[in-house]
Amino acid sequence: MSLLTLNERTIDSVRNQGLGLVVALTGHADAGQVVRQVRAELLDSLDAELLASFDADQLLDYRDRRPQISFLGDHFAAYQAPRLELYRLTDGLGQDFLLLTGPEPDLQWERFAAAVVLLARALNVRLAASFGAVPMPVPHTRPLGVTVHGNRPDLIEGISTWKPTAEIPAAAAHLVELKLIDAGREAVGYSLHVPHYLAEAEYPQVAVAALEYLGAALGLGLPTDRLREAARRVEAEIGEQVAGSPEVQRMIAGFEARFDARAPEDGPRSLLINPGAELPGGEELAEAAEAFLAGQADDGGPSAEGG
């Protein structure tokens, strides 16, 4: 039985060749619900076209992760079948990229990874970028840390804030990255560090960070505005809760002290600027934003007043 079904109307288009690939699989560890948030933001905000789909019946254990179904008084309806799919999306700058997204397979990891490698070869994927998040004993009052992995030194060196040597439970995305590299493809992955006391909640800050890393690595303009607004609300809510609990204040102060003691003086390198370049000041950013908005208005796009 075939594991992969191609959309024959779209898969052979030259438009699909040589693109970057974002791997977004929800697995056993999704601290801050980062994958769910990023997946929703990309598919809700950007134009998407289905290129291929995997047979979920062969890959998922439904009794372990049961799909949802609606019960309407006296009958069932709207069964939500799990979907593991490959899309082509177009970012806000008109640039195409690929998105492999859905639940992490429970079964047949080797076969699944081999199919992803086959797709990457057929579509001449230039770079595959995966992401995830892990709970860490770090404070929410400090910048989110990250551990970067893959075979692109320009996207890895100097970025990681923590570089452990350890045996850890594998994820399907890890195996896909490993198999892609073995096949001679380029791959990079970002494991973001979420404060452990926020790991079970929806934490928009980590989704914003993930989209920034993915966008910088793949040269894409990915949407973050809605998530940034949500992050501001969450930050205010956390501040109120912390202010009302001296015990939590002491816990966070301890995390801050340990974080600051271990943080390197120079800090990690940013992917968002070239080595040796200076970050633009506030006036430069404001002028650039005004110029962009003016250009949008001239083209019939949203104005600063109209949104």
Side-chain angles (χ1 to χ4, degrees):
M1 185 181 297
S2 176
L3 184 68
L4 183 64
T5 300
L6 304 179
N7 185 337
E8 295 181 358
R9 294 187 303 102
T10 59
I11 192 67
D12 291 331
S13 172
V14 67
R15 184 177 172 183
N16 301 326
Q17 291 289 320
L19 304 179
L21 168 66
V22 173
V23 178
L25 302 177
T26 54
H28 71 285
D30 188 23
Q33 301 181 28
V34 61
V35 177
R36 189 196 64 77
Q37 292 186 82
V38 167
R39 178 186 187 279
E41 191 66 18
L42 293 179
L43 291 178
D44 290 348
S45 301
L46 304 179
D47 292 335
E49 188 161 24
L50 179 66
L51 301 183
S53 57
F54 288 84
D55 185 355
D57 277 358
Q58 297 185 56
L59 296 174
L60 302 181
D61 179 356
Y62 292 169
R63 292 195 299 176
D64 183 55
R65 289 186 290 177
R66 293 181 181 270
Q68 296 294 301
I69 192 169
S70 299
F71 183 68
L72 305 178
D74 59 359
H75 66 281
F76 292 102
Y79 170 64
Q80 299 176 32
R83 297 183 299 175
L84 182 51
E85 298 169 321
L86 177 72
Y87 293 91
R88 183 187 68 239
L89 277 68
T90 305
D91 73 0
L93 303 176
Q95 301 176 106
D96 293 332
F97 66 101
L98 304 174
L99 174 67
L100 174 63
T101 187
E104 176 190 59
D106 298 306
L107 310 168
Q108 302 191 47
W109 278 19
E110 291 281 352
R111 194 170 172 222
F112 169 72
V116 175
V117 171
L118 182 66
L119 281 170
R121 282 176 170 160
L123 299 176
N124 193 29
V125 168
R126 60 180 177 82
L127 173 66
S130 61
F131 68 100
V134 294
M136 297 279 284
V138 294
H140 69 280
T141 53
R142 298 294 185 267
L144 286 170
V146 65
T147 299
V148 193
H149 37 87
N151 64 345
R152 280 283 301 272
D154 58 317
L155 300 177
I156 297 174
E157 293 178 359
I159 304 297
S160 292
T161 53
W162 186 54
K163 299 173 65 175
T165 298
E167 294 289 328
I168 63 172
H174 301 156
L175 180 61
V176 167
E177 179 181 310
L178 190 63
K179 295 296 185 180
L180 285 169
I181 292 173
D182 288 345
R185 316 303 304 186
E186 294 188 345
V188 64
Y190 301 94
S191 298
L192 291 143
H193 309 160
V194 173
H196 71 88
Y197 50 90
L198 298 172
E200 298 299 320
E202 185 176 283
Y203 193 50
Q205 285 84 338
V206 70
V208 171
L211 286 166
E212 287 181 338
Y213 279 113
L214 294 169
L218 295 170
L220 299 170
L222 301 179
T224 60
D225 287 350
R226 292 189 302 186
L227 287 168
R228 290 181 189 277
E229 180 60 32
R232 285 189 283 270
R233 293 195 298 269
V234 168
E235 185 175 2
E237 292 170 2
I238 294 172
E240 292 177 2
Q241 294 179 16
V242 171
S245 174
E247 182 180 350
V248 173
Q249 292 173 26
R250 288 192 295 271
M251 177 191 73
I252 293 174
F255 287 147
E256 289 174 338
R258 287 192 291 273
F259 184 96
D260 294 341
R262 297 174 180 175
E265 291 185 3
D266 296 336
R269 177 173 68 88
S270 173
L271 286 178
L272 304 181
I273 57 174
N274 294 324
E278 294 184 358
L279 284 170
E283 291 185 3
E284 293 176 80
L285 289 173
E287 291 173 1
E290 289 175 3
F292 174 76
L293 290 172
Q296 292 288 93
D298 292 341
D299 293 337
S303 66
E305 291 82 10

